[in-house]
Every structure is written in C-alpha cells, then in structure tokens.
Amino acid sequence: MTALLLAACMLTALTGCAGSGQTGTDVKETEETTAAEQTAEAADTAAQEETATPSLEEQMDSYWNDQLDGDLKNEAGYPHGSEGMGAVVLAMKDGEVIFEKAYGYAHYYDADYEAEGSSYANPVYVKTENPREMTTDTLFDLASVTKVMATTQSIMILVDRGELRVDDKAADYLPGFEANGKGDITIAQLLTHSSGLPQWEATFLYCDSKEEQLEYIKNLELVEDYKTDGSEPMYSDFSFMTLGFIVEAVTGQDMDVFVKENVYEPLGMTSTTYKPLENGFTEDQIAATSLGNPYEYRMVDEENWPDVGYDCTKDAEAFADFDGWRDYTLIGEVNDGNAGMGGQGVAGHAGLFSTAHDLGILLQCMLNGGEYNGVRLYSPETVELFTTRHTTYQENHTDEDGNPVLSNEFGYGFKLDQSWMGDSATENAFGHDGFTGTTVYADPDHNYIFVCLTNKMQAGFRDSTANGGTEDVSNYYNTNSWVSWNMNQIVKDSLGI
C-alpha cells in the first residue's frame, strides 16, 4: 500500500496535481505569467518611488546641505556657505512635534588674535581642532528672544495676578526714572517700543553692574520727535531693560530667579536659564556665538567704523579708556555687550539661553490659552491681551503700491505678522527674533509653532565685496532671511498651510 502511494505521488509530481485539470506545461505558463507580473509590479513601484515627493526630512536636509550652501555663497555674500555654523529646527502642529532636527556645528571657529591683522573689530577665524556637532539638546544664546520668553512672560504673570497694570507708569516702580521728561512713560509704551527711550547705547563702557545700569537708564534723555501712540514704534533695548528692572521692583527677586520659579520650572523647561555656566550646564552643551564682541566694537569705533550701528560719537573718550573687550569665543556667556559686559549676564532685553524643545513648550502653553500639561501660568484673556496688535504702523505706512508694510507691528512685547514668519502666517501670528540667529513664533489660526535656533555669529561677517559691492557691509549673515524663512516654508508647504 505504501509503495502504491509513493508511486502515485511521484507520478503527480511529474504530470501535475491529480484532479486539478493542469498539466506540467500549464504550471510553467503560470509561473512565467506570475514572474512577468512581479517584474511589472517591481518596475511600477520603482517608478512611483522615483517620482514620489521627498519626505519632509529629506527636503529639510536638502535645503541645509545643498541650497543653503549655494544661496549663502552666491547671493547672501557669505563666503563659507553653511560651514562653521549650525541650527536646531523644531516644528509643531496641533500640539505635536512634527519635525525636530539638528544641523551643522555648535562650535567650529575660534579667533587667533595673534595672527597678522587680527583685531577686536575683525578677529582672524581659525577652525577649532575638534569641531563640536550640533544636537537637539544644545542651548542657544537667544539674544532678543529673551524679550518675549523671559521679560514679557514675567509681566504677563504679574498682570494676570493683578500686581501690575499695563497703564501703570514706570516711574511708579522705579523712583528717579521720571528724570528728563520720562515721568509719563507707561508699561504699555515700554512693551510696544513706543516709549521714546533710545534704541541702544553702549552702557558697558560706563557700567559694571545692573545697579549702575539702572542709574544710567534713569538719567537717559528721550529721543526727539518720538510718538507714544504706537504709530511710529522705535525698537528699543532700553524699553525692555527697564521692564526687567520693574519686574524686580515688583517681585523683590532678581528677574532670572522670578522667571525660573514662575515659568520655566512649573512647565518643566529644564534647559532654560540665564547664566547657564553657573546653573549646571557645561560649555559642551551650549552653542558658541561670536569671537569676542567684534560687532559692538565696530559700533562704538566711530573713527574706523563710522557707519555701523548708532552714532556713538559722544562715547569717544569712554571707548578709548575701555579695557573690557572679550577676546575669546563666547560659549555660555551672553553675546550682547550690555547684558554680558555691563549687566552681569541678566537683563530684560537679552541673556536667556534655551533649547528649541523648551521654547516649543512655552509657545504651546500660549496657544493653549496659558495652560500646559495641567499647569496654568495665566488666563486666556491675558494671552489675548498681549498678542493683540497695539500699534498702528501699517495704517500709517504703505509700500509704493499702497499695501500695508509689515515688520514693525507689536502686541505687548511680541512682534506680530512678520515677514520672516512666512507667506501664510496670519495677522494673529506672534513671536520674536534675536541677533544671534534665533527666531520663534506661533500661529494660533493654524495651531502651528516654528522655532529655528542658529549660531550664525560663528560663521562670521558677510563678504564686503559680495555681488560686486565695494563697501564693507559690517554685519553677520542674516539667519532670518536664509534659514528660518526657507525651512519654515518647507514645513508649512508639507502641511498645506
């Protein structure tokens, strides 16, 4: 019986499956047909893959590695392209992180002050022996982003608690501030850069402490022909330096302590702080910025750099006597001279360090109406008050076609509807940018957040002869125009917003 079954099986193998109605030739034809179908399917898949839209990460990588390098070298007048600097980019939609990635280097260049021609105004750049790559956990010097992520947050909390009103006069909290016609300046005018205070002066030439800076501010004179109604905002660091001192006067705490205890710690923002090297962080965790303070040196050297920044002619004697210039790579020390050299690292206008992730938390808290992860900082009404337009610059300024001009509108503290927020940003979008290469903003109409932190100053100054030019442009490569805007637009295009 077993032999018969074995013979039957062998016969079936040679002639096809018994009872199936197929012969050996039929099986071969089926196999050939299947193979052809598989080949066609594979070819179709390959074609689809070839024509498929690159992923968001692929598009972002391509921009950083290819387009950015070309744009910078050929159009922005920056000779090194993206070499030497780095970035961390974060995008959030509907409360979720949809993109977060680090690019480039956190520390790439140092200065050689011994090299021929090297000076405080123009240090010679040399590649460090061990360039340090950027990571998503890297802390950045936020520069003027401090204004909205530290000072404005503190004012919001005090207003929400009823300890301060935006219509209060600054002199009510800072006795002596009323000198030289400043007695009627309100908190609101400081928040909207409509106070009439000067935009910038080199306090570090005269001040070694916050206390000396406060006295300097009390003695400031108002600029001529200023308007306090918001129709002609004049961006002023002194407005936010003053607000920082008001926070301290109201709370009885140093501002860095108050904002840490009332904002960062409650929200779990463990990587946000002033003076990071004194608060548990090491240089290896922080992005390097400038090599000393060459830009501010140029600003106050009216003899050799007369067209950089503001007119500092009155400071000639103090400039000649000043010996506090930093001649090393700044890592963990605030780049801003008034905050770093004159204010001991803490100020209302600059000095804060943070990561993209932490800043995303705080922006999401605002989009949530003042609450995040069960913690409430302030009410939805306070958020609305501070992110509502309180200036009328666009109503008074139009372009040659009669269209409103962007870029000089403010809520309380926050810049609104800026060109660097992208083409589809609505009039309700709010955020801020910083000189060191930082941009943050939130768009409540799309429940969207974008943070781009770079250390553009590591890459140095733009080429003075870019595109056939002959004059020295004397400024750092503009991150907002070339990195933040383009990467933000790539993300928004992928989301269809």
Side-chain angles (χ1 to χ4, degrees):
M1 184 67 175
T2 301
L4 290 174
L5 287 173
L6 181 58
C9 287
M10 291 177 65
L11 180 61
T12 301
L14 291 172
T15 61
C17 298
S20 68
Q22 290 184 329
T23 65
T25 301
D26 293 332
V27 172
K28 182 178 180 181
E29 290 176 351
T30 300
E31 291 174 345
E32 289 175 347
T33 301
T34 302
E37 291 174 347
Q38 290 176 342
T39 300
E41 183 178 346
D44 184 56
T45 300
Q48 290 179 2
E49 291 177 350
E50 187 175 339
T51 59
T53 301
S55 67
L56 174 57
E57 183 172 10
E58 288 172 336
Q59 293 180 66
M60 298 287 269
D61 290 353
S62 175
Y63 176 74
W64 179 268
N65 295 323
D66 303 319
Q67 297 176 29
L68 173 61
D69 194 52
D71 286 347
L72 287 178
K73 287 182 178 180
N74 302 323
E75 298 180 41
Y78 184 73
H80 304 298
S82 56
E83 180 185 3
M85 67 177 226
V88 175
V89 181
L90 171 78
M92 299 176 64
K93 182 74 170 70
D94 300 329
E96 301 291 332
V97 175
I98 60 171
F99 185 82
E100 184 178 21
K101 192 167 182 176
Y103 294 92
Y105 294 92
H107 180 200
Y108 194 86
Y109 284 119
D110 289 314
D112 182 0
Y113 277 92
E114 301 300 321
E116 182 178 356
S118 189
S119 66
Y120 286 128
N122 198 32
V124 171
Y125 278 63
V126 293
K127 182 180 177 181
T128 185
E129 291 184 2
N130 298 297
R132 175 162 48 90
E133 293 186 355
M134 193 72 76
T135 73
T136 55
D137 295 326
T138 299
L139 278 72
F140 287 78
D141 178 346
L142 298 182
S144 286
V145 171
T146 301
K147 291 179 172 73
V148 296
M149 291 309 199
T151 311
T152 301
Q153 296 295 324
S154 299
I155 297 292
M156 290 174 72
I157 286 175
L158 294 177
V159 168
D160 196 75
R161 293 175 180 175
E163 299 180 42
L164 193 71
R165 298 181 309 160
V166 295
D167 293 330
D168 290 345
K169 295 180 180 180
D172 292 340
Y173 301 97
L174 302 176
F177 180 80
E178 67 276 6
N180 299 319
K182 300 192 298 297
D184 290 331
I185 292 176
T186 65
I187 305 297
Q189 290 167 347
L190 294 171
L191 286 166
T192 57
H193 298 275
S194 303
S195 67
L197 290 175
Q199 295 174 285
W200 182 88
E201 291 185 12
T203 69
F204 57 83
L205 296 178
Y206 306 94
C207 305
D208 294 322
S209 67
K210 290 170 56 182
E211 291 73 21
E212 290 181 356
Q213 282 192 329
L214 178 56
E215 290 304 311
Y216 186 100
I217 291 173
K218 288 180 180 180
N219 291 315
L220 282 173
E221 295 184 359
L222 296 172
V223 299
E224 296 181 3
D225 302 323
Y226 70 93
K227 297 181 180 181
T228 62
D229 61 0
S231 61
E232 297 279 351
M234 187 178 65
Y235 188 81
S236 169
D237 278 355
F238 281 118
S239 288
F240 272 78
M241 293 171 74
T242 302
L243 287 167
F245 287 120
I246 290 173
V247 170
E248 295 187 345
V250 173
T251 65
Q253 293 180 287
D254 288 340
M255 197 183 74
D256 57 326
V257 176
F258 177 79
V259 72
K260 180 178 182 180
E261 292 181 353
N262 290 272
V263 178
Y264 309 142
E265 287 183 344
L267 294 183
M269 297 169 62
T270 57
S271 296
T272 304
T273 183
Y274 284 88
K275 301 185 293 188
L277 297 178
E278 299 178 23
N279 286 284
F281 296 93
T282 65
E283 289 189 354
D284 287 344
Q285 297 172 283
I286 307 168
T289 55
S290 62
L291 312 186
N293 286 92
Y295 187 78
E296 280 158 317
Y297 190 96
R298 297 180 183 199
M299 290 175 71
V300 296
D301 184 357
E302 291 293 345
E303 181 177 350
N304 298 299
W305 302 88
D307 299 320
V308 178
Y310 306 98
D311 185 356
C312 297
T313 304
K314 67 181 180 63
D315 302 310
E317 184 176 346
F319 169 59
D321 294 337
F322 185 68
D323 61 359
W325 296 109
R326 295 177 282 188
D327 60 358
Y328 51 88
T329 304
L330 302 184
I331 306 176
E333 289 186 44
V334 56
N335 165 262
D336 182 272
N338 284 340
M341 294 184 286
Q344 300 170 301
V346 177
H349 71 293
L352 190 66
F353 287 74
S354 188
T355 62
H357 177 80
D358 270 13
L359 297 176
I361 289 175
L362 189 46
L363 289 171
Q364 190 61 54
C365 177
M366 294 189 67
L367 287 184
N368 293 346
E371 183 272 337
Y372 181 85
N373 200 25
V375 175
R376 178 164 292 283
L377 295 186
Y378 28 65
S379 67
E381 290 76 18
T382 296
V383 175
E384 183 177 3
L385 174 66
F386 277 73
T387 58
T388 295
R389 190 182 310 277
H390 295 292
T391 51
T392 57
Y393 183 85
Q394 288 188 50
E395 295 178 13
N396 296 277
H397 297 79
T398 58
D399 61 21
E400 58 185 13
D401 297 320
N403 300 312
V405 178
L406 299 179
S407 82
N408 212 21
E409 293 286 8
F410 295 94
Y412 285 146
F414 293 95
K415 292 185 176 183
L416 306 180
D417 195 15
Q418 303 290 290
S419 58
W420 49 262
M421 294 176 180
D423 290 342
S424 64
T426 70
E427 62 181 12
N428 296 317
F430 59 88
H432 216 284
D433 51 340
F435 182 70
T436 50
T438 55
T439 54
V440 302
Y441 89 95
D443 186 341
D445 294 324
H446 293 118
N447 201 7
Y448 173 74
I449 289 168
F450 186 78
V451 177
C452 181
L453 307 179
T454 79
N455 59 342
K456 70 174 186 181
M457 303 174 86
Q458 263 282 286
F461 291 98
R462 292 176 61 184
D463 186 354
S464 62
T465 58
N467 297 320
T470 58
E471 296 182 3
D472 195 296
V473 291
S474 301
N475 58 21
Y476 288 101
Y477 145 66
N478 190 334
T479 300
N480 298 340
S481 295
W482 295 100
V483 182
S484 181
W485 192 95
N486 285 288
M487 285 190 155
N488 175 38
Q489 205 61 47
I490 290 171
V491 176
K492 293 203 295 184
D493 288 345
S494 74
L495 294 172
I497 60 175

